[in-house]
Each structure stands twice: as structure tokens, then as C-alpha cells.
Amino acid sequence: MKKRTATTSLTWLALASVSLAAPAFADEDAALVVNGEIEMVTETEAPAHLDGALSTIRSGWTFRTSETQALQMDDFDNPAMVFVDQAAEAWNTADGSEGKSCASCHEGAETMTGLRASMPKWNEAAGEVWTMEMYINDCREKRMGAEPWGWKAQPMLNMTALIGAQSRGLPMNVAIDGPVQETWEKGKEIYYTRYGQLELSCANCHEDNYDNYIRADHLSQGQTNGFPVYRLKQANLIAVHNRFKGCIRDTMAETYSEGSPEFVALELYVASRGNGLTVETPAVRN
């Protein structure tokens, strides 16, 4: 009889906990329309660059309970909007040695419309792929003379939610070729690499086993078009790099840090997997 190694046994136990029960909680016929006017695409044909790994892509909204779905359909019910309101106030508040606010250069937050749909993207001046957080801190340090915000700091979470919300309903269209291609390929490699004592990759859960349950969690495709998202279990906004850390820790592995080149690459690749879905920021998840 073939013997299992300790690592193989752990992997087997992890996958054995995946239930094949049909998704019973989400309303399969529900349509996501926010405030009765912003229509969202929550399922569409998969991007060609997935090479048939998925036939269709689905928003994380389609995997949530009807109660959680409802919270995202009206801004008065969406618990994330209080943080968006805080960011709107910060947008107009001067900070730093230059006495400038975001509005000093960009006028209203609505001038950011369309930005979230293309993020992360290539920054020609920096010669690398930048995330929203990197652009925000660059403005704070170079234009405002202010201290940079931490990636998990509440003001940063709030501001990325405000900026992202300006693009709600617009299709994700993240570039994967040209100068970003090398970073995209690195992100793809990370996505399919098995990590930790459980030897699990992102794809094992979000490509191979989506729509199944692992313990009480209904596995989604891991789409990021709604980040930062409000997680009910944490009662706060959560950034995508924070979520990456949590997933990798669940494999019993050492994880990368927020803002690391590895997570920037992974964010680019995962965001591109959602090309064609619409921006939902700030989404509501369990």
C-alpha cells in the first residue's frame, strides 16, 4: 500500500472537507442593481486569456446569501458607505506641508471615474505596475507633503473605497500585455503555485472547487472587482492584499506582505481574471 506523507495527508484532509452540496442560499435569478439604477454584470463569458479554465466568470455577489446580496443593492443598507462618506470628507481636507487636499488637484472624486476598472496598471514614470494604494501615497508624499498611509490603515481603506465607487457599473478592463506582461506572468505563476503544509494554490479553491463548500464557506471564484469589500465577519473594509494574506495563511505558509512585488503581481493577474465583470466597490461579503 502506498504511504501518504504528512504533507500529502494534510492536503487530502483539506480537500476532503470540501462539500459537494449545491449552493442553496444565493438567489440564482437575482440581478444586482444598486440604488435601482446602477446595473452590474455579475456573470459573463470568461476572458480569452484564461484558456478555457473557466467558461464563465461570476462575481462573488452570486455566492452570497440573499440577505448579504440585499445589503449591496442599496447604499442606505450597505455598511461600507459610512467609510466612503468619511473618505469624501478627507478628500476635501488639506493635509501635509503643502496645505493641499485631494480636491486641490483633482476637484471632485467623480474625476476618478473609470480608474478602478483599469487597476492595477503600468506607471510609466515609475517603470512598474502600481496599485491604487501606490498612487494615493505618491500623491500624499510628493504633492501634499503628507505622511503615507499604511496599506491597512483606515484612511487608506476608506479612500480606495471612495475612488473605486466612482466606477461602479463600469466593466473591468485590466491590461495584461505590453509593459505589464512580465508582472502579469509572475502573478499567474503565483496563482497556480501550491503553498504551505497543505500544498494548496489559489486555483485549487477558486478554479477547481468554486461553488462547493469548505466547512461553512461557500467558495467563490475569488474575483476582486468589489474590493475593498466590507466583510461582515470583520465589520470593516478589507483590502485585497489583506485577503491574499489570509488565504495563504490558511495553507499554513509564510505569506508575503501588503505592497510586496509578489502581491502586486498577484493582484494584477487576479484582477484580469475578472475582465468583463463590473466594478462593485465597495462590495459586501461574509
Side-chain angles (χ1 to χ4, degrees):
M1 180 181 293
K2 184 177 179 180
K3 294 183 179 179
R4 288 195 182 95
T5 64
T7 299
T8 304
S9 296
L10 284 169
T11 304
W12 182 86
L13 285 170
L15 294 177
S17 68
V18 176
S19 167
L20 299 181
F25 301 116
D27 182 350
E28 295 181 1
D29 298 321
L32 177 53
V33 181
V34 177
N35 300 331
E37 57 184 13
I38 307 175
E39 297 184 4
M40 302 291 188
V41 175
T42 58
E43 183 171 7
T44 190
E45 183 179 356
H49 65 74
L50 292 187
D51 297 324
L54 297 172
S55 58
T56 61
I57 53 174
R58 290 169 53 190
S59 160
W61 184 82
T62 67
F63 297 88
R64 303 282 65 92
T65 66
S66 57
E67 292 81 6
T68 301
Q69 287 179 339
L71 290 174
Q72 197 177 319
M73 298 178 74
D74 193 313
D75 283 352
F76 284 104
D77 296 327
N78 188 333
M81 296 311 294
V82 65
F83 300 109
V84 172
D85 290 342
Q86 290 172 12
E89 183 176 348
W91 179 274
N92 294 295
T93 301
D95 192 9
S97 61
E98 300 303 306
K100 292 183 177 180
S101 67
C102 302
S104 299
C105 294
H106 302 291
E107 298 183 353
E110 65 274 8
T111 60
M112 298 291 107
T113 299
L115 179 61
R116 173 66 179 83
S118 65
M119 296 299 293
K121 66 178 185 176
W122 183 255
N123 183 311
E124 187 65 35
E128 60 183 0
V129 173
W130 273 23
T131 67
M132 187 82 73
E133 291 88 347
M134 296 163 78
Y135 277 101
I136 290 171
N137 273 340
D138 186 66
C139 280
R140 287 187 58 77
E141 293 183 273
K142 294 182 178 179
R143 298 185 183 185
M144 299 170 67
E147 291 294 318
W149 285 329
W151 284 54
K152 293 189 296 184
Q154 195 67 55
M156 178 67 85
L157 295 170
N158 296 355
M159 191 59 70
T160 55
L162 171 67
I163 294 173
Q166 308 311 308
S167 299
R168 284 192 297 181
L170 297 180
M172 291 292 298
N173 186 25
V174 176
I176 67 171
D177 53 7
V180 307
Q181 184 172 358
E182 182 178 353
T183 303
W184 184 84
E185 294 286 358
K186 180 179 181 181
K188 181 179 180 180
E189 180 183 0
I190 293 171
Y191 188 87
Y192 286 101
T193 297
R194 293 174 178 268
Y195 286 93
Q197 295 181 49
L198 296 182
E199 289 191 340
L200 293 173
S201 69
C202 305
N204 288 139
C205 287
H206 299 297
E207 189 171 285
D208 302 336
N209 281 292
Y210 76 89
D211 238 355
N212 295 328
Y213 288 81
I214 184 164
R215 297 182 295 274
D217 189 19
H218 188 185
L219 291 174
S220 74
Q221 292 182 348
Q223 300 291 353
T224 59
N225 56 305
F227 278 84
V229 303
Y230 184 93
R231 292 198 80 197
L232 297 172
K233 67 185 292 185
Q234 290 164 285
N236 201 353
L237 292 169
I238 300 297
V240 67
H241 287 203
N242 182 289
R243 196 71 200 98
F244 289 163
K245 285 183 69 173
C247 282
I248 292 179
R249 276 197 300 261
D250 286 346
T251 70
M252 300 184 185
E254 291 292 327
T255 185
Y256 304 111
S257 60
E258 291 94 342
S260 64
E262 292 83 3
F263 273 172
V264 171
L266 183 59
E267 180 180 350
L268 174 65
Y269 176 70
V270 175
S272 78
R273 291 173 65 91
N275 279 352
L277 297 175
T278 45
V279 176
E280 296 179 23
T281 308
V284 182
R285 301 291 185 257
N286 291 351

